[in-house]
Amino acid sequence: MEKKELIHEGKAKKLYATEDETMLIQLFKDDASAFNGAKKGTITGKGEINCTISSIFFEYLQSYHISNHYIKNLSPNEMLIKKLDIIPIEAVMRNVVTGSLEKRLGLQEGMMLEYPIFELYLKNDELGDPLINEHHAYALQVARPEEIRLMYRSTAKINAILKSFMERRGMVLVDFKLEFGRTDSGEIILADEISPDTCRFWDRKTHKKLDKDRFRFDMGGVEQAYREILERISSN
Ligand code: TMP
């Protein structure tokens, strides 16, 4: 599949057109950013690791009939994806308290949530991706109530599937962020990526952080943590 013009460049990925107007190439960069772009850096090898990790998760979810934009890998850091009309919302699911939830509600880090928390954030860099609810999404005409319901159901299913997948490999799926898009026929399917940039993973026994928090908080061992996730999810 031939790579044509660059159509979008984000903080961690680039999107290219292809000769097929229904498909795009998603290229994963080594660039890392945090705190809405205030912290920037490079994680050597991240592009290839996150592309491989995302493809493993996307294929695994497809085996559970969770539709997503992944078609196939084209190179170590490029995947062929379905072109979608992306909904500008970040859907977050949380199983354990940390990050912005810990700060916003003054909760203890590490508290297990008996009932996972589903949150929506509006994708808007100028506003710092504010927390919204389904009524804001509808009023701002970014998603209809039934679309938000579908996003919730899909995120809850993905949580159940990936939580036990990670548990079997000695890890806790702490929280994660998903993005969804519409196909031409109006179906809502999973898009973007699923990687240590967009999820929090802790070692089950030691609670060692194995995700982008190591970069966010200068904890060291960032590349090793990303590589460890890839190694652990590659083994059966
Ligand atoms: P938070 O605790 O900072 O709100 O993050 C919740 C989850 O969402 C965590 O797994 C990291 C992920 N996330 C992103 O993928 N992109 C973002 O811009 C933010 C703020 C969080």
Side-chain angles (χ1 to χ4, degrees):
M1 184 64 71
E2 199 192 326
K3 193 154 79 189
K4 294 197 150 184
E5 74 275 11
L6 177 71
I7 59 165
H8 178 76
E9 178 157 9
K11 294 176 197 118
K13 296 188 293 297
K14 289 182 187 180
L15 287 176
Y16 293 91
T18 68
E19 66 246 42
D20 183 331
E21 64 172 33
T22 68
M23 296 177 193
L24 300 176
I25 292 172
Q26 175 162 257
L27 181 148
F28 290 72
K29 305 193 286 185
D30 286 355
D31 299 349
S33 72
F35 310 117
N36 198 27
K39 181 179 169 78
K40 288 196 176 77
T42 302
I43 302 174
T44 312
K46 176 170 85 78
E48 294 190 3
I49 295 172
N50 277 0
C51 184
T52 313
I53 292 174
S54 286
S55 62
I56 291 170
F57 284 136
F58 282 139
E59 281 181 13
Y60 187 67
L61 291 171
Q62 282 173 1
S63 78
Y64 281 86
H65 309 289
I66 306 278
S67 302
N68 57 64
H69 72 163
Y70 174 78
I71 300 171
K72 63 177 181 179
N73 286 328
L74 296 175
S75 80
N77 69 340
E78 291 170 304
M79 58 171 65
L80 187 65
I81 58 169
K82 283 182 201 151
K83 186 175 180 179
L84 300 173
D85 170 28
I86 293 291
I87 298 170
I89 285 180
E90 298 191 337
V92 168
M93 190 66 96
R94 302 174 182 274
N95 298 307
V96 181
V97 171
T98 188
S100 67
L101 179 71
E102 176 192 344
K103 287 203 182 64
R104 189 179 317 111
L105 299 184
L107 300 172
Q108 183 72 38
E109 182 176 51
M111 190 181 114
M112 302 293 293
L113 294 162
E114 195 175 341
Y115 303 101
I117 295 177
F118 181 67
E119 296 174 337
L120 303 174
Y121 293 86
L122 182 67
K123 273 173 72 83
N124 183 320
D125 283 341
E126 279 166 34
L127 299 176
D129 296 346
L131 179 70
I132 60 167
N133 65 28
E134 65 271 33
H135 302 282
H136 297 93
Y138 187 45
L140 298 175
Q141 298 186 6
V142 292
R144 297 193 306 275
E146 62 272 25
E147 292 180 321
I148 299 288
R149 263 197 301 280
L150 281 167
M151 286 167 64
Y152 167 70
R153 264 190 238 135
S154 181
T155 306
K157 260 188 228 165
I158 292 165
N159 188 34
I161 294 165
L162 296 188
K163 217 173 111 173
S164 61
F165 178 89
M166 297 310 277
E167 255 167 35
R168 291 196 299 279
R169 287 155 181 83
M171 288 169 286
V172 180
L173 176 60
V174 172
D175 55 29
F176 59 95
K177 182 268 297 185
L178 301 175
E179 294 183 30
F180 293 85
R182 303 175 185 98
T183 63
D184 282 343
S185 59
E187 196 193 348
I188 303 286
I189 70 171
L190 177 63
D192 197 49
E193 68 178 298
I194 306 177
S195 75
D197 270 9
T198 60
C199 306
R200 288 193 176 99
F201 305 117
W202 291 355
D203 179 83
R204 226 176 136 182
K205 287 205 185 108
T206 63
H207 281 188
K208 181 182 173 189
K209 295 180 199 287
L210 297 167
D211 54 60
K212 202 164 90 174
D213 272 353
R214 303 202 74 83
F215 167 79
R216 289 187 185 99
F217 303 112
D218 300 315
M219 298 170 78
V222 188
E223 286 91 352
Q224 293 92 314
Y226 279 56
R227 211 161 286 124
E228 188 171 339
I229 293 293
L230 176 57
E231 278 163 20
R232 290 210 206 176
I233 68 168
S234 300
S235 64
N236 287 309

